Amino acid sequence: MPRMTSARRYAQAVYQIATEEKNIEQWIEDLSLLASATLDSQFMSFVNSPNVDNDKKTNLIKDVFSDHIGRNAVNLCCLLSR
């Protein structure tokens, strides 16, 4: 149950940011791309590994996604990988 509570809080925060910045459509696109990335088992193993340094995870996420999604979505992905 704690995971569901955390997921709900993140979803509410993203929705609040998206509505405040009036970019809900961009967030939908960004989150769709990130959701598709979760289908890549190699990527997920990397970001979920406790043996990989958080800085390495953050650098990879920024390298892979920065040109494709908004800065806040990149930051969310980095936060979740930690």
Side-chain angles (χ1 to χ4, degrees):
M1 191 65 144
R3 269 193 139 166
M4 186 58 89
T5 303
S6 295
R8 183 176 292 122
R9 286 186 184 141
Y10 283 114
Q12 289 170 336
V14 165
Y15 182 75
Q16 183 176 352
I17 291 168
T19 55
E20 287 174 1
E21 295 181 352
K22 296 179 173 60
N23 64 355
I24 292 174
E25 291 299 320
Q26 183 62 51
W27 268 101
I28 291 170
E29 291 175 21
D30 292 351
L31 293 174
S32 293
L33 190 138
L34 290 173
S36 67
T38 65
L39 301 175
D40 183 320
S41 60
Q42 195 172 18
F43 174 74
M44 291 306 294
S45 292
F46 180 82
V47 296
N48 286 324
S49 175
N51 298 323
V52 177
D53 182 66
N54 285 329
D55 289 336
K56 287 183 181 180
K57 293 177 188 181
T58 299
N59 289 336
L60 175 82
I61 291 166
K62 288 179 179 180
D63 288 345
V64 170
F65 294 110
S66 288
D67 291 339
H68 305 287
I69 61 176
R71 180 180 49 85
N72 285 335
V74 170
N75 290 341
L76 174 65
C77 189
C78 291
L79 175 68
L80 294 174
S81 74
R82 290 177 177 265

